[in-house]
Amino acid sequence: MGNSKQVLYFNSIPVVLPEDTVYSRLGRNRFLNKMTEVQKSLMGKYIAEGIALCHPAGCWLRLNIVERNAASVTLENGDMLNSASLAELLASSQALLLTASTVGCGIVEASAAAAVAGEGVKALVYDAVGSEMADEAIGWIHSYVGQQLKRSSEKLTRRRFSPGYGDLGLENQKIIYDILNLDKLGIRLNESLTMVPEKSVTAISGIEKS
Amino acid sequence: MTRSEFQKLLTEKIVILDGATGTELVKRGMPQGVCPELWILENPSAMIEIQQAYRAAGSDIVFVPSFGANRFKLEEFGLAGRLAEINRSLAGLSRCAVGDGLVFGDLAPTGKFIEPLGDIPFEDVVNVYKEQVAALLEGNVDGFVIETMMDIQETRAALLAVKESCELPVMVTMTFDEHMRTLTGSDPVSALITLQAMGADAFGCNCSTGPGDMLEIIRTMKPYATIPLIAKPNAGIPKLVSGKTVFDMSPSAFAGYVPELAAAGINIMGGCCGSTPEHIREMALSAARCKPVPPVITALSAVSASRNYCLLGKDKPFAVVGERINPTGKKALQAELREGKLAMVNVFAREQAAAGASILDVNMGLSGIDEKEMMVKAVKMLGSGLPLCIDSTSSEVIEAALRIYPGRALVNSISAEKSRLERTLPAAAKYGAMFILLPLADEGIPETFEGRKEIVEKVFCEAEKYGYSKADICVDGLVMTVSSNQNAARITLDLIEWCSRKFGVNTICGLSNVSFGMPQRAHVNNTFLAMAVGRGLNMAIANPAAEMLMPVVDAGNVLTGRDLKMKRYVEKYGAAGQGCKTVAAVKSDDPAQHVFNCILTGDEESIAGAINKALASGITAKDIVDKSLIPAINRVGELYDCKEYFLPQLIMSADTMRKGFEVLEPLLEENKSENDKPKVVIVLATVEGDIHDIGKNIVALMLRNYGFEVVDLGKDVSARHIVAAAGKHNAAIIGLSALMTTTMVRMTEVIQLAKAEGLDKVKFMVGGAVVDQAYADEIGADAYAPDAMEAVRIAQRFTP
């Protein structure tokens, strides 16, 4: 893998979403749950419609870590990410991977419209499909980068972090947003540092020698 | 080396490739982070040593170490300006290392992604590969290998670059994961169908898995391969040992798979990551004892997309080519296309796939639009779904679509018209497309069976000159409407029978033409279809959602033996029957019980009928509510609590309950007494700054279904607005939702403002992913609702 500091964008990520992941997100206990054929068919229909409403896109960038301590890491572009958990995750990493994905606003709008129309199941399933598709899209980018890294005897850390979780404050969302120029994916950041469209995800992983 | 010399070599023996290069270079001191191609040129002895070792071990072909020597990759190291020199020198180095051994130029992923996946135009990538191919040709390579490919479209770009630059043999290998998919979702058979049709001389897989897992991939592909197959596995599955990736399969264990690989039909083998000259030596020794298994077929009736394929033929299931993506007679679609939009095209594609189409016809012929531009746009959008049938009268449009289509398309159509034979036929052949042979000529459509048969033979004769075989074409029966000529159906049926039984090609028909101008067209269409299936028809251009069409197709597959052991038919219709039984099982002769069951199973369709039946039997509206609806929804709550139901089922039942109330409400109003209480009002909102509202929406829905009046203020709502609404509607409860740690703090503002405004009797209920009981206590909320069902229970508790 080279050292280019150019963000690589994917306009259309080929996400294959297993139905099971949507059921899991919706809290189905597959050992206990019982559904009628009609219910299964309705769920399948909404999941398929939801998938068609998603347009997964994403991007990634590799940045070297130039300085670190127990509570933060500093990147080659001068940005600093403050989080003890993240610093611990990146303890053996010489670089990190910033990734982002979104599925666009179509699914969010359709879910909201369904909720307004009183179609609760549809709204709920669309929402779950949107979330899972955004997660799968990030997963796809990680698989792609992971495969590329193999050739330079490197690998990604197994875990990844997202702003707003643990001690990685949501203010880091702005840093990632700016570095990855997420405007290019049609994502904006509101005053509460929430990404719009809602079904958008960012993540940080470490790049280690294998 | 010529392509025929390459094929001849493969009939004589299992050809042995080289093993890993990267891991061997690291052993010889290549540091991490450098450009491997440049390091090799600066340290040529290392590479010469590796390749001589592989040659001595038995490699018939070694790969030039030009894996990352394309413009995009070299740019990452600031070396794009030296591209020609680097490739030429690397080829020279390999030639010097192996003497009279074969040297193949190596093309690999660019690291960029082609539209629509990425933002690089297809043609740019073709040109990037062409530049590398030209330099490797200057270095005197004997052929090319396109390897470790993850994306079918990029693989096509590389293959086209080679085919448009030289006549040398070209091998292609892609990388499949444990689910037998490439990173961009292609399966081995789809990729094989696409690339062998385009002229790859051998196809297979490399990297990612060990030899054992590759066996399965090879066995999957072999029945469909018209070209030799390749396996270049890793030396086992990588393991992490002391923080380092290790491939620990020994050379003898690696070579132990050779007999099985050979028996599965591998004609070319080598090693990838972790393999060494010793692995190759053992492999070559074992392979020398095996006889190569040539491809089992010489031609294949099949079309593909990037992630799907469809096999055609008299013993394969009948294929319906969905006809709806065609603006003719569709005003709404025409209007969309004129605006450059494709939303309806997407919907038609999805609907036809769901209805049972195997292939989608795409026609963008409409006056006032740029047909080529819209066709290319549509093909880019639909390229990963079902295989496409490119339908146009313009050879230019067809060629543009075929160039960027990431699969093997079906071209609709090629006739004996001069322009079709001179322009469309060579374009279809270049990209390996199958085509629909239309029995018409410049003079028109022959009125007799003999006239049409003559044209079929003439066009096929022309097609053979481009390498086409009978497996690659489908003859269109070209049915005319029976309303103007009652012999029309017979002529077509005779042609279908001759084509399928004697001439030996696929047959297809545009079904709906036959009934034009007739009443109840579906009757005529379906009867004609059944008759044509009986005469050998194996494809139809039709709307798969048309009345009774798919049942006729499915039954036809059973009756003609195309549906082996009737598996597909039983799966489809047997399952539907079972579904009916499940529903029937919850029906009851007791009207009150039937209403109860409708709520229990969330059967929205039946609830109104069930309630009307209960009313007709003399049960009062109030009793239906008290003795059926409420006990049923309570039972649903219990099933949810014990996890037999999950949230969607809870909501389905709640939605059914609401529909039931809609029926009963006028009757309940009539009998309303003065003592009946007014509905309790609950104000709900997602707090300011937060845009997540699905949880709040579900709570609103559930509360409404349980008889509360909900004022839903939406998302990102200010404290002032929430408190004002609560005052205005005399709310008993305010429900607040937040998903973010940064926005949950706004809940406090609402509670404090409400108190300051004197809303002392209002109860506060809070919820959301980051909220918990402790936080609710901390901010002075009256309750924390972890889910929608609990929110209902809390609301019921607050308002007895």
Side-chain angles (χ1 to χ4, degrees), chain A residues 133-179:
Chain A
M133 289 287 278
D135 280 353
E136 290 284 327
I138 279 270
W140 185 89
I141 297 172
H142 277 246
S143 301
Y144 167 72
V145 176
Q147 212 152 352
Q148 300 287 88
L149 287 172
K150 269 189 204 166
R151 303 202 74 85
S152 49
S153 302
E154 293 174 302
K155 63 182 173 71
L156 288 172
T157 50
R158 287 195 177 176
R159 286 170 57 219
R160 54 186 190 235
F161 263 66
S162 290
Y165 292 92
D167 66 347
L168 184 64
L170 205 55
E171 64 279 5
N172 292 297
Q173 197 75 282
K174 175 84 174 101
I175 297 174
I176 299 176
Y177 183 91
D178 290 340
I179 294 175

Side-chain angles (χ1 to χ4, degrees), chain B residues 26 88 109 114 202 240 304-305 333 403 418 604:
Chain B
V26 171
R88 207 169 41 236
I114 294 170
L240 268 182
S304 59
L333 178 60
R403 188 153 183 94
K418 195 164 177 272
E604 278 189 60

Side-chain angles (χ1 to χ4, degrees), chain B residues 425-446:
Chain B
L425 180 58
K430 176 177 177 181
Y431 299 99
M434 286 187 70
F435 70 87
I436 295 175
L437 192 163
L438 208 59
L440 69 85
D442 288 312
E443 299 76 28
I445 305 170

